[in-house]
Amino acid sequence: MSIGVWDYLPEYEQEKEDILDAVGTVFASGRLVLGDSLRSFEQEFADYHGVAHCKGVDNGTNALKLGLEALGVGPGDEVVTVSNTAAPTVVAIAGTGATPVFVDVRDEDFLMDTAQVEAVLTPRTKAILPVHLYGQAVEMEPLLRLAAERGLTVLEDCAQAHGARHYGRPVGTFGAAAAFSFYPTKVLGAYGDGGAVITDAPDVDQNMAQLRYYGMDRVYYVVRSPGHNSRLDEVQAEILRRKLTRLDAYLERRRAVARRYEEALGDLTGDGGLVLPTTAPGNDHVYYVYVARHPQRDALLKALEKKGVDLNISYPWPVHTMTGFSHLGYAKGSLPVTERLADEIFSLPMYASLSTDRQDRVIEAVRATLREL
């Protein structure tokens, strides 16, 4: 049996009783949408981050899109972000009618190069959207300073960084609002789709409440401003409530998996070969994915596949190179670090329920393959 980068079944076996109880609790409640489970999860998720408000939505992409709209972003605006990210980050920006503007990432940790942001700001810039990538935070102080000086807003993309901290502070608490995804692969994953937006601003929270519910303000049929149908359902909310109590334990297990990789593969790094992840200053990494680099990445992955280890690339195609965003006019070579990383990065298996035995098989296969290259 091949080993992939993610598998929810071991976790389900460990937590089956609680997961099925969560489903039964909702089905017996008489309320399947916008009920007590969602309200409780929203309060508990806000409390976990030390903020005042949370609104659950149907997926992480809509968390970003509605979050931007709740902050006033719309047609004619520009939003600064990165191309080394999952496409939904940019799809969400485009969905508001705004234009994505890209800066490159840093070679050492793959995070937004905040030193490049000021140069791309224009009178049309409305927001900065940093992506806390792979499990750790973007350097936030320069972005917050620029936002304050230029009258911009900041929406944090926290889809890959549940529980991560930046200088002791939870990600998602730096900007005006933050968007999360609860897609099953995430650090805090549902058993289906889901997302949320957290904020300390009452007006942003009120905007979110309307935007996710057709644009209605409490009273059904009364639309204040056209919105969306984007609600986190009760079953997913109740499952997430249960899993939120275990989030810190998941984080510790992920860090333990990362330490084993570092200890077992660290001697193979250097001399233009394998590069393991680094943690940026001030960050507590949660390792949503464990992204390494190798100049012969494609040959490495092909050889590992023959050994029963089927790895992933996050991400093989930078967003600015995709045909769907060719109208933005980014030529090949315009984001050199991002483009170089796309040819070299790959993800090793990383999830809280990854067994030591399976990880050892991955490590053994990687070591053997690197000796063969």
Side-chain angles (χ1 to χ4, degrees), residues 81 248 266 322 343 369:
T81 191
D248 289 343
M322 297 178 182
D343 293 331
T369 303

Side-chain angles (χ1 to χ4, degrees), residues 40-64:
S40 296
F41 172 69
E42 289 172 337
Q43 185 61 61
E44 290 156 7
F45 197 64
D47 289 346
Y48 181 87
H49 292 88
V51 300
H53 307 287
C54 171
K55 286 293 178 286
V57 296
D58 56 345
N59 57 65
T61 308
N62 278 338
L64 287 163

Side-chain angles (χ1 to χ4, degrees), residues 8-17:
Y8 80 92
L9 290 175
E11 178 188 276
Y12 178 62
E13 286 302 313
Q14 296 168 10
E15 302 181 359
K16 179 187 294 187
E17 184 176 345

